[in-house]
Amino acid sequence: MVKACLYKKSPVTFSDTGKGRVVVLLHGFLGSHKIWEKTSLDLSKSYRVIAIDLPGHGATPCYGYAHSMDLMAKCVKAVMDHLRLKKFVLVGHSMGGYAALAFADLFPDYLNGLCLYHSSALPDTAEKKKERLRAIAAVKANRGVYTKSAIKNLFATKNLKYLIEEILFANTIAKGTTKQGIIAALHGMKDRPNREIILSLVKYPIMMVVGELDNILPYEQLLAQAEKIKRKTVLFLEHDGHFGFLESPRESNKALRKFLRKCYK
Ligand code: MLT
């Protein structure tokens, strides 16, 4: 069921399905809670699954010119406070993982586990920051062209010819993201801080999902980060890019379920 709660007088939209222990899903850049449709359906057989539209994405409006990861984390906190849920596992895909790390930093007592789905605790490099500024210019020039090529880049190149429906699905969701929402997220990602310390400090389990063919985050860099985690689970997807739950849903969901059992043991 799709619901909303207020954060700074604007509605944060989320879906709430299933019963039991709680799993919160945060989509990536150009996504919405709908991107998790199949994952939510699968997990909600045994868990209560909350999938949130982050600021400027899906039906959640923009809050300003830049959406910091901290702002995104505060929106997540507003939803969880509204639902009166104080312990859960947080799963963040890419940008959603940056927001999940901000949440772990700001609200350390709320988590039973954290899953970084094709995500990183490192900040943007100087080159990546320049790329973000070029992306902002490209969005201003032609949002449609920009989003189509950005979505294509999230899939492994070799999967592009097979995953026609999945690409169409991701594109349809991306089309719903406003120009302002895209630009605000690009600014927020560009300025996010280093949160590597979280990986080595926390006591709860952390899972990292890594795609060998990821065009956005090089797998070697993610595996090096995973080394720092005390109670780690690593899912290495050798045939996938940046979208494991769409590229290999069965394998990804199976591993996520196993991780959730570990978190809730
Ligand atoms: C995402 O999928 O959320 C973004 O591509 C992440 C990024 O650009 O760093």
Side-chain angles (χ1 to χ4, degrees), residues 52-176:
I52 300 175
D53 284 350
L54 292 169
H57 288 71
T60 299
C62 285
Y63 284 86
Y65 184 68
H67 289 153
S68 68
M69 298 305 115
D70 287 20
L71 170 86
M72 294 198 184
K74 286 175 191 165
C75 282
V76 173
K77 173 77 161 38
V79 172
M80 302 321 281
D81 285 349
H82 171 79
L83 297 173
R84 301 207 178 120
L85 296 170
K86 294 203 179 305
K87 275 284 181 194
F88 44 88
V89 176
L90 192 50
V91 179
H93 176 225
S94 199
M95 180 189 79
Y98 309 153
L101 279 161
F103 188 98
D105 199 358
L106 297 176
F107 311 111
D109 298 332
Y110 282 71
L111 300 186
N112 274 325
L114 173 66
C115 173
L116 299 175
Y117 227 115
H118 308 299
S119 196
S120 167
L122 293 178
D124 274 2
T125 59
E127 186 44 47
K128 187 75 192 181
K129 284 180 197 282
K130 283 189 202 150
E131 206 182 287
R132 300 281 188 208
L133 296 175
R134 287 196 291 272
I136 290 169
V139 177
K140 285 182 181 163
N142 192 329
R143 170 178 157 274
V145 170
Y146 171 78
T147 52
K148 222 171 158 194
S149 92
I151 292 295
K152 199 171 152 196
N153 208 25
L154 300 181
F155 291 84
T157 312
K158 80 170 176 66
N159 290 340
L160 290 175
K161 53 182 177 296
Y162 307 113
L163 299 175
I164 310 294
E165 269 189 32
E166 288 75 6
I167 296 165
L168 195 68
F169 173 62
N171 265 313
T172 306
I173 292 176
K175 272 189 200 150

Side-chain angles (χ1 to χ4, degrees), residues 217-254:
L217 297 170
Y219 75 90
E220 300 91 334
Q221 190 198 91
L222 300 186
L223 293 178
Q225 289 179 48
E227 283 305 305
K228 299 183 190 300
I229 302 169
K230 282 196 201 91
R231 296 176 66 195
K232 60 173 152 297
T233 297
V234 177
L235 172 64
F236 187 71
L237 298 167
E238 52 185 309
H239 301 293
D240 298 330
H242 196 69
F243 242 143
F245 57 97
L246 294 185
E247 294 177 281
S248 291
R250 277 163 68 106
E251 188 181 351
S252 302
N253 288 348
K254 192 173 163 207

